[in-house]
Amino acid sequence: TNFIDNNLINNFNIQVLNFFDGISYNETLLLLLIFFLILKNFLNLYQVYFQFSFIYALTVKKASNLLKIYLDKNYEDFLKKDISIYIKQITRDIEHVFAGIFGLIISIVGDILYIGVLLFFSLSIIDIVFDFNILLLFIGFAFLINFLFSVSKKLGEVRGTTEQNTFKFLSDTLRIFKEIKIQKKTNNFIDRFFSTFNEFFHTRVKQGIINLMPKFSLELLFLLVFFILFTTEGLAIDKFIIKYSVFAIAILRLIPTIARLTSNLSQIVYNLKSIEYIKKDIERKKINYSKKNNKKKIIDTLTLKKIKHKFY
């Protein structure tokens, strides 16, 4: 049995070596490129599984921890913030931070690796010289992306404020249901809620447009790059297509990935405001905990004065 197994292994090794001896360097690169494309699809599947099994589980855990922080507050500190704000931070802001930021960072790392591998193999097969005009195009694209990020940050701040106002207004409105019915002010509250909630969704619409901008810009960018290459090299159209066909295919594969990468980065910037909301409460909890541990007093007597109680 060992003899048969050894023969099979040796024959397999010989077949593999003969296969690679019979193909050229460019063909080897293309085979490796196909391998990485298949590997990328498997990584995407694992990424989705990882996001659902880990990121959302982490989100639930952190939301529970934040609820514990709020429940550990003394009553006076607890009343300083409206109930609706607590609900928003435990549900929405935690989701924005861990699913909307941490989850996207994992996706970004995978996209960067894929872009790097694809560019390496494409530029290894084709010798492309980028002149000054092409360099200017890429610099212009970088400035555009930076501008979109700054707009996303401002929209994220508006989103955080309007979302908080919406939660608070809705909570306050439902608490005074009886008074609204007695005063017949239903339409007034509906109009005010519509205005607040509409402003919140306007930021979502604008952010959706910003997320689409990189893809349109990339398509225009690479069209201009191929046009500049065509005009500067002076090749016939058929020879130009033959020369740059592999690079063009690689670009077609790259555009959705780069667009998704920039869109995810923009979405992270858009969600950054949520970190500020929960960070303050978590840091305040740590400070209070430290003070409690450092402060040890012995109380000899306790006196209560002017104690009042009334029913609502």
Side-chain angles (χ1 to χ4, degrees), residues 58-100:
L58 181 64
T59 303
V60 172
K61 181 180 178 182
K62 295 302 179 182
S64 301
N65 291 342
L66 190 60
L67 176 60
K68 183 180 184 305
I69 289 174
Y70 292 150
L71 293 179
D72 286 341
K73 286 186 173 185
N74 61 59
Y75 189 64
E76 185 181 356
D77 289 337
F78 183 80
L79 292 178
K80 291 179 180 179
K81 193 182 294 185
D82 191 81
I83 297 295
S84 62
I85 307 303
Y86 288 119
I87 295 172
K88 170 186 172 292
Q89 291 178 356
I90 293 171
T91 56
R92 299 291 295 168
D93 289 325
I94 285 288
E95 181 183 357
H96 289 319
V97 171
F98 290 96

Side-chain angles (χ1 to χ4, degrees), residues 234-271:
L235 294 173
I237 186 67
D238 54 343
K239 292 183 179 180
F240 181 81
I241 292 173
I242 293 172
K243 180 177 179 180
Y244 290 103
S245 58
V246 175
F247 185 63
I249 293 171
I251 292 301
L252 288 174
R253 296 287 302 178
L254 274 176
I255 285 177
T257 306
I258 297 176
R260 184 173 62 250
L261 173 66
T262 54
S263 175
N264 287 343
L265 287 171
S266 176
Q267 194 67 29
I268 287 174
V269 174
Y270 180 69
N271 289 328

Side-chain angles (χ1 to χ4, degrees), residues 15-256:
Q15 292 295 330
V16 170
L17 291 173
N18 290 336
F19 175 77
F20 280 102
D21 286 338
I23 61 176
S24 64
Y25 173 74
N26 288 341
E27 289 174 334
T28 304
L29 289 177
L30 284 174
L31 286 173
L32 289 173
L33 179 59
I34 292 170
F35 168 76
F36 278 110
L37 288 175
I38 296 172
L39 179 63
K40 182 245 182 187
N41 290 327
F42 281 108
L43 288 175
N44 282 342
L45 290 174
Y46 178 75
Q47 176 186 317
V48 173
Y49 167 77
F50 181 78
Q51 183 172 355
F52 278 101
S53 63
F54 176 74
I55 299 299
Y56 291 152
L58 181 64
T59 303
V60 172
K61 181 180 178 182
K62 295 302 179 182
S64 301
N65 291 342
L66 190 60
L67 176 60
K68 183 180 184 305
I69 289 174
Y70 292 150
L71 293 179
D72 286 341
K73 286 186 173 185
N74 61 59
Y75 189 64
E76 185 181 356
D77 289 337
F78 183 80
L79 292 178
K80 291 179 180 179
K81 193 182 294 185
D82 191 81
I83 297 295
S84 62
I85 307 303
Y86 288 119
I87 295 172
K88 170 186 172 292
Q89 291 178 356
I90 293 171
T91 56
R92 299 291 295 168
D93 289 325
I94 285 288
E95 181 183 357
H96 289 319
V97 171
F98 290 96
I101 294 179
F102 187 61
L104 291 178
I105 289 174
I106 296 173
S107 176
I108 286 171
V109 172
D111 287 338
I112 290 174
L113 290 174
Y114 174 68
I115 291 170
V117 170
L118 197 58
L119 283 176
F120 171 77
F121 283 108
S122 301
L123 296 176
S124 298
I125 295 172
I126 302 170
D127 185 21
I128 300 177
V129 179
F130 295 104
D131 63 7
F132 183 70
N133 292 327
I134 294 177
L135 183 62
L136 283 179
L137 286 176
F138 281 103
I139 292 174
F141 177 74
F143 274 106
L144 174 63
I145 296 300
N146 183 63
F147 170 74
L148 293 177
F149 286 168
S150 64
V151 174
S152 290
K153 185 177 180 181
K154 292 178 181 178
L155 287 175
E157 292 173 356
V158 175
R159 188 267 310 162
T161 304
T162 54
E163 190 177 47
Q164 183 169 296
N165 292 339
T166 300
F167 270 80
K168 188 175 187 308
F169 178 77
L170 189 59
S171 175
D172 293 342
T173 301
L174 296 176
R175 283 174 182 167
I176 57 172
F177 175 82
K178 182 175 65 175
E179 287 79 4
I180 293 173
K181 298 295 287 185
I182 293 172
Q183 298 293 328
K184 297 181 179 180
K185 296 291 185 181
T186 303
N187 290 334
N188 292 356
F189 280 86
I190 291 174
D191 291 340
R192 288 172 60 188
F193 173 74
F194 177 84
S195 176
T196 305
F197 210 33
N198 188 50
E199 186 179 0
F200 165 70
F201 274 106
H202 266 303
T203 63
R204 299 282 295 271
V205 171
K206 292 175 183 177
Q207 183 62 28
I209 294 172
I210 289 175
N211 289 342
L212 291 175
M213 285 295 293
K215 184 174 184 297
F216 299 150
S217 303
L218 276 170
E219 290 173 353
L220 179 61
L221 171 68
F222 285 114
L223 280 174
L224 292 173
V225 167
F226 279 112
F227 177 75
I228 292 172
L229 289 173
F230 179 71
T231 54
T232 54
E233 293 198 9
L235 294 173
I237 186 67
D238 54 343
K239 292 183 179 180
F240 181 81
I241 292 173
I242 293 172
K243 180 177 179 180
Y244 290 103
S245 58
V246 175
F247 185 63
I249 293 171
I251 292 301
L252 288 174
R253 296 287 302 178
L254 274 176
I255 285 177

